[in-house]
Amino acid sequence: MELACSSCSSLRFSSVLTHQDTAASRYRKLPPTSPSCKTANFVLKSSKNLSSSAGFHIGYTNFSKTRKYRHISIRACSQVGTAGSEPVLDKLSQFKDAFWRFLRPHTIRGTALGSLSLVTRALIENPNLIRWSLALKAFSGLIALICGNGYIVGINQIYDIGIDKVNKPYLPIAAGDLSVQSAWFLVLLFAVAGLLIVGINFGPFITSLYCLGLFLGTIYSVPPFRMKRFAVVAFLIIATVRGFLLNYGVYYATTAALGLSFQWSSPVAFITTFVTLFALVIAITKDLPDVEGDRKFQISTLATKLGVRNIAFLGSGLLLANYIGAVVAAIYMPQAFRSSLMIPVHTILALCLVFQAWLLEKANYTKEAISAYYQFIWNLFYAEYLIFPFI
Protein backbone atom coordinates (compact mmCIF):
# COMPACT_ATOMS: atom_id res chain seq x y z
CA MET A 1 0.00 0.00 0.00
CA GLU A 2 2.77 2.31 0.91
CA LEU A 3 4.63 1.43 -2.29
CA ALA A 4 1.55 2.05 -4.36
CA CYS A 5 1.12 5.51 -2.89
CA SER A 6 4.76 6.27 -3.38
CA SER A 7 4.60 5.14 -6.98
CA CYS A 8 1.47 7.17 -7.55
CA SER A 9 3.12 10.24 -6.08
CA SER A 10 6.15 9.71 -8.26
CA LEU A 11 4.04 9.53 -11.38
CA ARG A 12 2.12 12.66 -10.47
CA PHE A 13 5.30 14.53 -9.58
CA SER A 14 6.90 13.44 -12.86
CA SER A 15 3.83 14.60 -14.76
CA VAL A 16 3.98 17.99 -13.10
CA LEU A 17 7.65 18.39 -13.97
CA THR A 18 6.97 17.36 -17.55
CA HIS A 19 4.23 20.00 -17.88
CA GLN A 20 6.42 22.53 -16.14
CA ASP A 21 9.36 21.78 -18.46
CA THR A 22 7.06 22.10 -21.44
CA ALA A 23 5.76 25.47 -20.19
CA ALA A 24 9.29 26.63 -19.46
CA SER A 25 10.55 25.51 -22.84
CA ARG A 26 7.66 27.24 -24.55
CA TYR A 27 8.35 30.44 -22.64
CA ARG A 28 12.07 30.33 -23.42
CA LYS A 29 11.10 30.75 -27.07
CA LEU A 30 9.74 34.22 -26.29
CA PRO A 31 12.32 36.86 -27.19
CA PRO A 32 13.61 38.75 -24.17
CA THR A 33 12.56 42.13 -25.59
CA SER A 34 11.85 43.75 -22.26
CA PRO A 35 12.88 43.63 -18.60
CA SER A 36 9.51 42.05 -17.88
CA CYS A 37 10.30 39.13 -20.20
CA LYS A 38 13.73 38.59 -18.63
CA THR A 39 12.27 38.65 -15.14
CA ALA A 40 9.71 36.06 -16.09
CA ASN A 41 12.42 33.79 -17.56
CA PHE A 42 14.41 34.01 -14.34
CA VAL A 43 11.34 33.16 -12.28
CA LEU A 44 10.63 30.13 -14.47
CA LYS A 45 14.18 28.79 -14.16
CA SER A 46 14.22 29.35 -10.40
CA SER A 47 10.88 27.61 -9.93
CA LYS A 48 12.11 24.65 -12.00
CA ASN A 49 15.20 24.21 -9.82
CA LEU A 50 13.14 24.42 -6.66
CA SER A 51 10.66 21.83 -7.88
CA SER A 52 13.41 19.39 -8.76
CA SER A 53 14.93 19.46 -5.25
CA ALA A 54 11.74 19.64 -3.17
CA GLY A 55 8.54 17.64 -2.83
CA PHE A 56 5.40 17.48 -4.90
CA HIS A 57 3.61 20.33 -3.08
CA ILE A 58 6.39 22.80 -3.76
CA GLY A 59 6.63 21.72 -7.40
CA TYR A 60 2.89 22.14 -7.93
CA THR A 61 2.88 25.54 -6.23
CA ASN A 62 5.74 26.84 -8.33
CA PHE A 63 4.10 25.50 -11.48
CA SER A 64 0.99 27.54 -10.64
CA LYS A 65 3.16 30.59 -10.07
CA THR A 66 4.98 29.88 -13.34
CA ARG A 67 1.71 29.99 -15.24
CA LYS A 68 0.77 33.22 -13.50
CA TYR A 69 4.15 34.84 -14.28
CA ARG A 70 3.84 33.70 -17.87
CA HIS A 71 0.55 35.57 -18.23
CA ILE A 72 2.04 38.62 -16.54
CA SER A 73 5.05 38.50 -18.83
CA ILE A 74 2.95 38.23 -21.97
CA ARG A 75 0.91 41.19 -20.78
CA ALA A 76 4.07 43.19 -20.03
CA CYS A 77 5.59 42.41 -23.43
CA SER A 78 2.33 43.41 -25.09
CA GLN A 79 2.27 46.70 -23.19
CA VAL A 80 5.84 47.47 -24.22
CA GLY A 81 4.92 46.85 -27.86
CA THR A 82 1.89 49.09 -27.57
CA ALA A 83 3.87 51.82 -25.86
CA GLY A 84 6.05 52.10 -28.95
CA SER A 85 3.03 53.25 -30.97
CA GLU A 86 1.79 55.75 -28.38
CA PRO A 87 4.04 58.66 -29.50
CA VAL A 88 2.61 58.39 -33.04
CA LEU A 89 -0.96 58.42 -31.73
CA ASP A 90 -0.13 61.31 -29.41
CA LYS A 91 1.35 63.32 -32.28
CA LEU A 92 -1.71 62.69 -34.44
CA SER A 93 -3.99 63.74 -31.59
CA GLN A 94 -1.95 66.89 -30.97
CA PHE A 95 -1.97 67.81 -34.66
CA LYS A 96 -5.72 67.23 -34.84
CA ASP A 97 -6.24 69.57 -31.89
CA ALA A 98 -3.90 72.21 -33.33
CA PHE A 99 -5.52 71.93 -36.77
CA TRP A 100 -9.00 72.46 -35.32
CA ARG A 101 -7.89 75.52 -33.35
CA PHE A 102 -6.14 76.81 -36.47
CA LEU A 103 -9.47 76.73 -38.33
CA ARG A 104 -11.11 78.93 -35.62
CA PRO A 105 -14.18 76.71 -34.99
CA HIS A 106 -16.62 79.56 -34.30
CA THR A 107 -16.01 80.96 -37.79
CA ILE A 108 -16.37 77.50 -39.36
CA ARG A 109 -19.73 77.06 -37.63
CA GLY A 110 -20.89 80.44 -38.93
CA THR A 111 -19.84 79.63 -42.50
CA ALA A 112 -21.38 76.15 -42.45
CA LEU A 113 -24.66 77.31 -40.88
CA GLY A 114 -24.94 80.22 -43.30
CA SER A 115 -24.46 78.12 -46.42
CA LEU A 116 -26.75 75.33 -45.23
CA SER A 117 -29.44 77.84 -44.25
CA LEU A 118 -29.40 79.56 -47.64
CA VAL A 119 -29.44 76.27 -49.56
CA THR A 120 -32.34 75.05 -47.43
CA ARG A 121 -34.25 78.26 -48.11
CA ALA A 122 -33.75 77.93 -51.87
CA LEU A 123 -34.98 74.33 -51.77
CA ILE A 124 -38.03 75.24 -49.67
CA GLU A 125 -38.93 77.90 -52.24
CA ASN A 126 -38.54 75.41 -55.12
CA PRO A 127 -39.44 71.96 -53.77
CA ASN A 128 -40.33 70.62 -57.22
CA LEU A 129 -36.73 71.08 -58.40
CA ILE A 130 -35.07 69.06 -55.63
CA ARG A 131 -32.83 66.26 -56.96
CA TRP A 132 -30.53 63.94 -55.07
CA SER A 133 -27.72 64.78 -57.52
CA LEU A 134 -27.65 68.27 -55.99
CA ALA A 135 -26.50 66.88 -52.63
CA LEU A 136 -22.96 66.18 -53.85
CA LYS A 137 -22.69 69.62 -55.42
CA ALA A 138 -23.94 71.29 -52.25
CA PHE A 139 -21.43 69.30 -50.17
CA SER A 140 -18.55 70.28 -52.47
CA GLY A 141 -19.63 73.92 -52.16
CA LEU A 142 -19.59 73.65 -48.38
CA ILE A 143 -16.06 72.18 -48.46
CA ALA A 144 -14.93 75.04 -50.71
CA LEU A 145 -16.36 77.61 -48.29
CA ILE A 146 -14.64 75.95 -45.35
CA CYS A 147 -11.38 75.97 -47.31
CA GLY A 148 -11.80 79.68 -48.03
CA ASN A 149 -12.58 80.33 -44.37
CA GLY A 150 -9.52 78.30 -43.33
CA TYR A 151 -7.28 80.27 -45.71
CA ILE A 152 -8.45 83.66 -44.40
CA VAL A 153 -8.21 82.88 -40.68
CA GLY A 154 -4.95 80.95 -41.25
CA ILE A 155 -3.15 83.73 -43.11
CA ASN A 156 -4.21 86.11 -40.36
CA GLN A 157 -2.62 83.88 -37.69
CA ILE A 158 0.64 83.62 -39.64
CA TYR A 159 1.06 87.40 -39.68
CA ASP A 160 -0.29 87.98 -36.16
CA ILE A 161 1.95 85.67 -34.12
CA GLY A 162 3.26 88.42 -31.87
CA ILE A 163 -0.18 89.90 -31.27
CA ASP A 164 -1.74 86.48 -30.69
CA LYS A 165 0.87 85.65 -28.04
CA VAL A 166 -0.69 88.48 -26.03
CA ASN A 167 -4.34 88.36 -27.11
CA LYS A 168 -4.91 84.71 -28.04
CA PRO A 169 -2.08 82.56 -26.65
CA TYR A 170 -4.24 79.46 -27.14
CA LEU A 171 -3.99 79.67 -30.95
CA PRO A 172 -1.72 76.91 -32.29
CA ILE A 173 1.05 79.00 -33.89
CA ALA A 174 1.27 81.40 -30.96
CA ALA A 175 1.26 78.45 -28.54
CA GLY A 176 4.00 76.63 -30.48
CA ASP A 177 1.72 73.70 -31.32
CA LEU A 178 1.92 74.35 -35.08
CA SER A 179 4.99 75.53 -36.97
CA VAL A 180 4.86 78.45 -39.37
CA GLN A 181 5.94 76.13 -42.21
CA SER A 182 3.03 73.78 -41.47
CA ALA A 183 0.66 76.74 -41.31
CA TRP A 184 1.83 77.95 -44.73
CA PHE A 185 1.33 74.49 -46.15
CA LEU A 186 -2.23 74.39 -44.79
CA VAL A 187 -3.29 77.83 -46.04
CA LEU A 188 -1.90 77.17 -49.53
CA LEU A 189 -3.64 73.80 -49.55
CA PHE A 190 -6.91 75.47 -48.53
CA ALA A 191 -6.61 78.12 -51.25
CA VAL A 192 -5.76 75.68 -54.06
CA ALA A 193 -8.37 73.09 -53.01
CA GLY A 194 -11.11 75.72 -52.67
CA LEU A 195 -10.37 77.28 -56.06
CA LEU A 196 -10.30 73.90 -57.78
CA ILE A 197 -13.62 72.84 -56.27
CA VAL A 198 -15.35 76.11 -57.17
CA GLY A 199 -13.82 76.33 -60.65
CA ILE A 200 -14.86 72.78 -61.56
CA ASN A 201 -18.37 72.88 -60.10
CA PHE A 202 -19.74 76.43 -60.10
CA GLY A 203 -18.61 78.34 -63.17
CA PRO A 204 -16.67 81.57 -63.76
CA PHE A 205 -18.97 84.03 -61.97
CA ILE A 206 -18.97 82.22 -58.61
CA THR A 207 -15.25 81.53 -59.04
CA SER A 208 -14.63 85.27 -59.44
CA LEU A 209 -16.63 85.97 -56.26
CA TYR A 210 -14.63 83.31 -54.44
CA CYS A 211 -11.36 84.85 -55.64
CA LEU A 212 -12.57 88.27 -54.47
CA GLY A 213 -13.19 86.84 -51.01
CA LEU A 214 -9.68 85.32 -50.88
CA PHE A 215 -8.17 88.59 -52.10
CA LEU A 216 -9.96 90.66 -49.45
CA GLY A 217 -8.94 88.16 -46.77
CA THR A 218 -5.32 88.43 -47.96
CA ILE A 219 -5.03 92.22 -47.96
CA TYR A 220 -6.72 92.29 -44.56
CA SER A 221 -3.70 90.55 -42.97
CA VAL A 222 -0.68 90.54 -45.30
CA PRO A 223 1.87 93.38 -45.49
CA PRO A 224 2.30 95.84 -47.05
CA PHE A 225 -1.49 96.21 -47.26
CA ARG A 226 -2.48 94.92 -43.80
CA MET A 227 -5.83 96.67 -43.92
CA LYS A 228 -6.68 95.48 -40.41
CA ARG A 229 -4.63 98.49 -39.24
CA PHE A 230 -7.37 100.81 -40.47
CA ALA A 231 -10.57 100.38 -38.51
CA VAL A 232 -13.13 101.45 -41.13
CA VAL A 233 -11.53 99.47 -43.99
CA ALA A 234 -11.22 96.39 -41.76
CA PHE A 235 -14.91 96.55 -40.83
CA LEU A 236 -15.93 96.89 -44.47
CA ILE A 237 -13.81 93.89 -45.53
CA ILE A 238 -15.27 91.63 -42.84
CA ALA A 239 -18.83 92.78 -43.54
CA THR A 240 -18.36 92.27 -47.30
CA VAL A 241 -16.87 88.77 -47.04
CA ARG A 242 -19.02 87.32 -44.27
CA GLY A 243 -22.13 89.33 -45.06
CA PHE A 244 -22.64 90.05 -48.74
CA LEU A 245 -20.35 87.59 -50.56
CA LEU A 246 -21.30 84.55 -48.51
CA ASN A 247 -25.07 85.07 -48.66
CA TYR A 248 -25.35 86.37 -52.20
CA GLY A 249 -22.80 83.89 -53.58
CA VAL A 250 -24.31 80.79 -51.94
CA TYR A 251 -27.87 81.67 -52.92
CA TYR A 252 -26.82 82.52 -56.48
CA ALA A 253 -24.92 79.23 -56.82
CA THR A 254 -27.89 77.29 -55.42
CA THR A 255 -30.42 78.83 -57.81
CA ALA A 256 -28.03 78.25 -60.71
CA ALA A 257 -27.70 74.58 -59.72
CA LEU A 258 -31.51 74.36 -59.71
CA GLY A 259 -31.58 75.78 -63.24
CA LEU A 260 -33.10 79.12 -62.18
CA SER A 261 -32.06 82.68 -62.90
CA PHE A 262 -31.13 84.70 -59.82
CA GLN A 263 -33.80 86.97 -58.35
CA TRP A 264 -33.78 88.82 -55.08
CA SER A 265 -36.61 87.51 -52.92
CA SER A 266 -37.65 89.42 -49.80
CA PRO A 267 -36.29 86.78 -47.37
CA VAL A 268 -32.92 86.59 -49.17
CA ALA A 269 -32.64 90.38 -49.32
CA PHE A 270 -33.50 90.47 -45.62
CA ILE A 271 -30.90 87.89 -44.52
CA THR A 272 -28.19 89.47 -46.69
CA THR A 273 -28.83 92.91 -45.20
CA PHE A 274 -29.28 91.57 -41.68
CA VAL A 275 -26.09 89.46 -41.73
CA THR A 276 -24.00 92.18 -43.41
CA LEU A 277 -24.87 94.55 -40.55
CA PHE A 278 -24.33 91.70 -38.10
CA ALA A 279 -20.88 91.02 -39.61
CA LEU A 280 -20.09 94.70 -39.11
CA VAL A 281 -20.96 94.30 -35.41
CA ILE A 282 -18.73 91.22 -35.21
CA ALA A 283 -15.92 93.21 -36.83
CA ILE A 284 -16.33 95.90 -34.19
CA THR A 285 -16.73 93.68 -31.14
CA LYS A 286 -14.01 91.16 -32.09
CA ASP A 287 -11.43 93.74 -31.00
CA LEU A 288 -12.84 94.05 -27.50
CA PRO A 289 -10.87 91.13 -25.99
CA ASP A 290 -7.74 92.18 -27.95
CA VAL A 291 -7.22 95.72 -26.72
CA GLU A 292 -4.04 94.90 -24.77
CA GLY A 293 -2.22 93.29 -27.70
CA ASP A 294 -3.50 95.83 -30.24
CA ARG A 295 -2.15 98.72 -28.16
CA LYS A 296 1.19 96.96 -27.69
CA PHE A 297 1.62 96.42 -31.44
CA GLN A 298 0.06 99.78 -32.38
CA ILE A 299 -2.95 98.29 -34.17
CA SER A 300 -5.56 101.02 -34.41
CA THR A 301 -9.09 99.82 -33.68
CA LEU A 302 -12.22 101.53 -32.46
CA ALA A 303 -11.80 99.65 -29.18
CA THR A 304 -8.34 101.13 -28.63
CA LYS A 305 -9.53 104.60 -29.64
CA LEU A 306 -12.97 104.84 -28.05
CA GLY A 307 -12.67 102.33 -25.22
CA VAL A 308 -14.20 98.95 -24.53
CA ARG A 309 -17.38 100.25 -22.90
CA ASN A 310 -18.28 102.59 -25.76
CA ILE A 311 -17.68 99.91 -28.41
CA ALA A 312 -19.78 97.38 -26.49
CA PHE A 313 -22.63 99.90 -26.40
CA LEU A 314 -22.18 100.67 -30.10
CA GLY A 315 -22.23 96.98 -31.07
CA SER A 316 -25.26 96.26 -28.89
CA GLY A 317 -27.06 99.29 -30.31
CA LEU A 318 -26.47 98.25 -33.92
CA LEU A 319 -27.69 94.72 -33.21
CA LEU A 320 -30.74 96.06 -31.41
CA ALA A 321 -31.52 98.18 -34.48
CA ASN A 322 -31.13 95.03 -36.57
CA TYR A 323 -33.73 93.18 -34.49
CA ILE A 324 -36.13 96.12 -34.51
CA GLY A 325 -35.80 96.23 -38.32
CA ALA A 326 -36.63 92.51 -38.52
CA VAL A 327 -39.79 93.01 -36.44
CA VAL A 328 -40.83 96.03 -38.53
CA ALA A 329 -40.26 94.10 -41.78
CA ALA A 330 -42.48 91.27 -40.53
CA ILE A 331 -45.25 93.72 -39.56
CA TYR A 332 -45.25 95.67 -42.83
CA MET A 333 -44.63 92.72 -45.16
CA PRO A 334 -46.79 89.88 -43.81
CA GLN A 335 -47.04 88.39 -47.31
CA ALA A 336 -43.25 87.92 -47.48
CA PHE A 337 -42.52 86.74 -43.93
CA ARG A 338 -44.07 84.41 -41.38
CA SER A 339 -44.92 87.05 -38.77
CA SER A 340 -45.99 84.52 -36.16
CA LEU A 341 -42.40 83.27 -36.01
CA MET A 342 -40.33 86.26 -37.04
CA ILE A 343 -41.72 88.77 -34.54
CA PRO A 344 -41.55 86.78 -31.27
CA VAL A 345 -38.18 85.16 -32.04
CA HIS A 346 -36.45 88.44 -32.85
CA THR A 347 -38.06 90.09 -29.83
CA ILE A 348 -36.70 87.36 -27.55
CA LEU A 349 -33.23 87.57 -29.12
CA ALA A 350 -33.24 91.36 -28.66
CA LEU A 351 -34.13 90.98 -24.96
CA CYS A 352 -31.35 88.41 -24.53
CA LEU A 353 -28.92 90.88 -26.09
CA VAL A 354 -29.97 93.64 -23.68
CA PHE A 355 -29.55 91.25 -20.74
CA GLN A 356 -26.06 90.22 -21.89
CA ALA A 357 -25.04 93.86 -22.27
CA TRP A 358 -26.31 94.48 -18.72
CA LEU A 359 -24.21 91.57 -17.44
CA LEU A 360 -21.15 93.04 -19.14
CA GLU A 361 -21.77 96.41 -17.51
CA LYS A 362 -22.33 94.78 -14.12
CA ALA A 363 -19.03 92.85 -14.44
CA ASN A 364 -17.24 96.16 -15.08
CA TYR A 365 -15.91 94.96 -18.44
CA THR A 366 -13.45 92.39 -17.18
CA LYS A 367 -11.63 90.31 -19.79
CA GLU A 368 -13.72 87.23 -18.90
CA ALA A 369 -16.97 89.18 -19.23
CA ILE A 370 -15.88 90.68 -22.56
CA SER A 371 -15.05 87.21 -23.91
CA ALA A 372 -18.44 85.90 -22.79
CA TYR A 373 -20.17 88.86 -24.46
CA TYR A 374 -18.30 88.31 -27.73
CA GLN A 375 -19.15 84.60 -27.69
CA PHE A 376 -22.80 85.49 -27.11
CA ILE A 377 -22.72 87.73 -30.20
CA TRP A 378 -21.65 84.70 -32.25
CA ASN A 379 -24.43 82.62 -30.71
CA LEU A 380 -26.94 85.23 -31.87
CA PHE A 381 -25.37 85.02 -35.33
CA TYR A 382 -25.87 81.24 -35.40
CA ALA A 383 -29.46 81.63 -34.18
CA GLU A 384 -30.36 83.92 -37.08
CA TYR A 385 -29.26 81.37 -39.64
CA LEU A 386 -31.08 78.59 -37.81
CA ILE A 387 -34.42 80.37 -38.03
CA PHE A 388 -33.96 81.89 -41.50
CA PRO A 389 -35.28 78.96 -43.59
CA PHE A 390 -38.59 79.08 -41.69
CA ILE A 391 -39.37 82.80 -41.62
Side-chain angles (χ1 to χ4, degrees), residues 278-326:
F278 210 125
L280 182 62
V281 173
I282 288 175
I284 293 170
T285 57
K286 80 175 183 61
D287 296 321
L288 293 178
D290 300 342
V291 171
E292 182 184 352
D294 288 341
R295 284 174 177 162
K296 182 177 179 180
F297 288 87
Q298 298 179 342
I299 300 294
S300 177
T301 66
L302 286 182
T304 58
K305 289 181 177 180
L306 303 179
V308 171
R309 187 172 186 270
N310 291 332
I311 295 304
F313 271 107
L314 175 61
S316 300
L318 288 173
L319 275 188
L320 197 59
N322 226 6
Y323 287 124
I324 292 172

Side-chain angles (χ1 to χ4, degrees), residues 159 219 221-227 229-230:
Y159 285 97
I219 65 172
S221 300
V222 177
F225 307 102
R226 202 154 168 78
M227 294 301 178
R229 295 175 298 165
F230 312 107

Side-chain angles (χ1 to χ4, degrees), residues 27 33-41 69 72-73 75-77 80:
Y27 189 79
T33 55
S34 71
S36 299
C37 298
K38 292 178 180 178
T39 302
N41 277 328
Y69 279 118
I72 291 171
S73 176
R75 226 172 18 244
C77 293
V80 169

Side-chain angles (χ1 to χ4, degrees), residues 34-81:
S34 71
S36 299
C37 298
K38 292 178 180 178
T39 302
N41 277 328
F42 174 77
V43 170
L44 280 167
K45 290 175 183 177
S46 301
S47 65
K48 182 179 177 183
N49 293 334
L50 283 169
S51 63
S52 299
S53 59
F56 166 74
H57 178 71
I58 295 175
Y60 182 79
T61 303
N62 280 316
F63 174 62
S64 300
K65 289 183 179 179
T66 299
R67 292 183 64 187
K68 182 169 71 175
Y69 279 118
R70 184 168 182 265
H71 288 305
I72 291 171
S73 176
I74 291 170
R75 226 172 18 244
C77 293
S78 174
Q79 287 171 354
V80 169

Side-chain angles (χ1 to χ4, degrees), residues 321-356:
N322 226 6
Y323 287 124
I324 292 172
V327 172
V328 170
I331 292 173
Y332 283 93
M333 301 177 68
Q335 73 282 359
F337 301 102
R338 190 172 296 170
S339 302
S340 59
L341 176 66
M342 194 163 172
I343 293 174
V345 168
H346 285 95
T347 301
I348 291 170
L349 293 177
L351 292 174
C352 290
L353 171 66
V354 171
F355 178 71
Q356 191 68 30

